[in-house]
Amino acid sequence: MKQKLTLLFLFSVFLVTSCQEKGTEGNGITADPQTTPETQNLLVNLKKLTSKGIMFGHQDDLLYGHDWKYEDGRSDVKEVCGDYPAVYGWELGHIELGNEMSLDSVHFDKIRQLIKVAYRRGGVNTISWHADNPLTGGSAWDVSSNQVVKSILPGGEKHELFNTWLTRLGNFFLSLKDDDGQPIPVIFRPFHEHTGSWFWWGQKLCTTDQYVALWKYTQSFLEKMGVHNLLYAYSAGSEFSTVAQYLERYPGDDVIDVMGFDTYERNGDNGREQYMKTLSSCLNVLVKAGEAHHKLIALTETGFGGIPDSTWWTKTLWPTIEKKPISYVLVWRNAWNMKEQYFAPFEGQQSADDFAEFCRLPRTLFQQDISGVELYQKDQE
Ligand code: BMA
């Protein structure tokens, strides 16, 4: 009997410690069990906000626009509809190299400063990371080797280099502080569009196990650095048609907070029909996956480059997403130095009036619609 009790005791100790090691005891809210209260509040409040509407997001909105860069207070979106987006996307590619400027020629100091501005307004910040290829030294789009992910995992020849890169990334996250020195929560969306094969972490460039290990390693590295202001977003391309396909490389409920995908309308025959069909079917799958795993869902990137359709916002995008419980829709950047690359309108652009109408819809949420919501405060209800 005594022996049995001892065994039982030892087994319980094993269970408790292994749960603690894996962090599975959690806080019941976010994937990282130690996230800051503001980050937890953000996730809880974003989930609630989905009943009110869909937030609009724009990549690099405050940094530059179609024909300007670094002008305080400016935003192409605001100039067209009178309000800032509710969600602000930022890009950290080249932070890993220790550079002062990103791959899009933007100073990381400026990004840090504007993340703070957006946070002060009560907006939501989300960060993508087109990290260079650590094995070849090429860009994120260098898919010449399928050994890259393997090479940066423990035991791989570029593992130490990757640790250095993650340290630089983590230091940036640690530097995001409000006026009181408290960490600013952000949604971190690395290794995105992995269902396609155009980035070194893509479908044909690594195995499922390697991709999942990459996520887990990254998250635990950042946690060990003391980074606890992140919600982690898993964001596929549109190459899936079932929940099983969507979740094929899902790192797990203990890693991910937000689920999403990226898809774009392209010029060409049936471009609009094709886009609406893909968007709608992927959203149906995303809704199911989100419900099954109790995750916040979002259309993490979309748009129609150059917006050659004057009613795109109210006749193509909105009818396809309006009934879905997504948290936000983010359109990509208006590159000041590439005149054809823009995804939000600017004054005089052919879809500007339609965008202003889209902004006025009761269920599209821009900055003023969410400023009163206090996304980072604990709900008093
Ligand atoms: C891409 C394009 C590139 C850019 C990259 C990272 O989709 O916008 O011009 O460098 O995103 O922001």
Side-chain angles (χ1 to χ4, degrees):
M1 183 65 178
K2 201 170 168 202
Q3 207 182 5
K4 268 192 189 160
L5 276 176
T6 317
L7 275 176
L8 199 65
F9 173 74
L10 284 175
F11 184 61
S12 322
V13 170
F14 165 76
L15 271 184
V16 169
T17 45
S18 66
C19 269
Q20 277 168 354
E21 270 166 24
K22 287 187 190 134
T24 47
E25 84 282 15
N27 54 24
I29 299 171
T30 49
D32 168 4
Q34 294 182 65
T35 42
T36 64
E38 289 76 16
T39 313
Q40 294 173 35
N41 295 341
L42 176 63
L43 185 59
V44 170
N45 290 326
L46 287 180
K47 282 184 179 163
K48 285 192 185 154
L49 195 61
T50 57
S51 66
K52 295 221 173 82
I54 300 175
M55 294 186 291
F56 177 78
H58 185 210
Q59 184 75 4
D60 285 353
D61 187 79
L62 304 177
L63 283 165
Y64 54 78
H66 182 59
D67 57 4
W68 58 272
K69 186 184 178 190
Y70 289 178
E71 291 185 37
D72 277 358
R74 279 196 79 174
S75 150
D76 281 351
V77 164
K78 182 164 186 275
E79 285 167 21
V80 167
C81 75
D83 199 1
Y84 290 110
V87 176
Y88 301 83
W90 313 98
E91 164 61 37
L92 291 187
H94 288 185
I95 193 103
E96 70 280 2
L97 306 180
N99 292 1
E100 274 178 33
M101 277 186 147
S102 77
L103 80 167
D104 297 323
S105 307
V106 171
H107 291 86
F108 292 112
D109 280 348
K110 196 77 187 165
I111 296 179
R112 183 185 298 107
Q113 181 201 326
L114 290 172
I115 285 178
K116 204 168 152 180
V117 167
Y119 180 64
R120 254 194 239 120
R121 283 187 192 137
V124 177
N125 290 295
T126 174
I127 289 179
S128 52
W129 185 32
H130 289 75
D132 267 5
N133 183 320
L135 183 60
T136 65
S139 74
W141 293 266
D142 178 352
V143 289
S144 58
S145 164
N146 60 6
Q147 298 297 304
V148 187
V149 176
K150 187 174 175 222
S151 79
I152 58 179
L153 290 171
E157 59 181 292
K158 295 293 176 186
H159 184 58
E160 280 316 310
L161 176 69
F162 191 56
N163 286 345
T164 306
W165 286 16
L166 287 178
T167 305
R168 290 177 177 143
L169 176 76
N171 282 335
F172 182 85
F173 290 137
L174 290 172
S175 76
L176 299 175
K177 299 270 174 63
D178 69 10
D179 292 337
D180 301 324
Q182 296 303 311
I184 297 177
V186 300
I187 298 174
F188 181 40
R189 191 176 67 93
F191 316 129
H192 65 302
E193 298 176 8
H194 64 280
T195 49
S197 297
W198 45 85
F199 295 128
W200 56 258
W201 54 83
Q203 182 79 22
K204 295 198 181 119
L205 287 307
C206 60
T207 66
T208 299
D209 286 351
Q210 287 166 351
Y211 183 77
V212 169
L214 174 65
W215 259 100
K216 292 194 172 194
Y217 185 78
T218 300
Q219 191 190 46
S220 84
F221 192 98
L222 294 172
E223 283 181 20
K224 280 184 198 138
M225 278 185 76
V227 176
H228 298 300
N229 50 335
L230 306 183
L231 295 177
Y232 290 88
Y234 171 79
S235 164
S238 59
E239 301 74 19
F240 61 90
S241 44
T242 64
V243 172
Q245 281 168 359
Y246 177 73
L247 294 176
E248 196 239 320
R249 297 189 170 200
Y250 182 59
D253 286 344
D254 56 340
V255 182
I256 298 301
D257 298 295
V258 182
M259 287 179 175
F261 68 90
D262 301 353
T263 191
Y264 285 86
E265 178 167 343
R266 315 238 176 239
N267 269 314
D269 293 346
N270 292 326
R272 177 170 180 267
E273 286 68 30
Q274 195 51 52
Y275 171 72
M276 290 173 84
K277 207 171 137 205
T278 306
L279 179 54
S280 170
S281 70
C282 288
L283 280 172
N284 288 339
V285 172
L286 182 69
V287 169
K288 280 191 207 148
E291 272 169 7
H293 290 262
H294 309 289
K295 299 295 172 188
L296 186 78
I297 59 169
L299 181 49
T300 41
E301 269 185 47
T302 197
F304 189 4
I307 331 164
D309 174 350
S310 60
T311 57
W312 192 77
W313 306 96
T314 63
K315 302 284 184 300
T316 296
L317 179 64
W318 189 243
T320 322
I321 64 174
E322 68 170 321
K323 300 252 160 57
K324 307 291 189 226
I326 53 176
S327 173
Y328 66 86
V329 49
L330 180 136
V331 300
W332 206 241
R333 67 200 194 103
N334 288 8
W336 86 96
N337 53 354
M338 299 177 193
K339 287 281 167 265
E340 280 82 51
Q341 193 184 152
Y342 58 85
F343 295 86
F346 43 86
E347 274 188 308
Q349 200 276 329
Q350 63 167 295
S351 74
D353 290 346
D354 187 61
F355 183 79
E357 201 181 319
F358 168 79
C359 175
R360 285 191 296 268
L361 292 171
R363 295 192 74 258
T364 55
L365 307 176
F366 284 66
Q367 182 67 74
Q368 285 168 28
D369 301 309
I370 63 152
S371 291
V373 176
E374 299 192 327
L375 289 173
Y376 302 91
Q377 304 299 312
K378 198 164 174 70
D379 201 339
Q380 300 305 317
E381 277 170 32

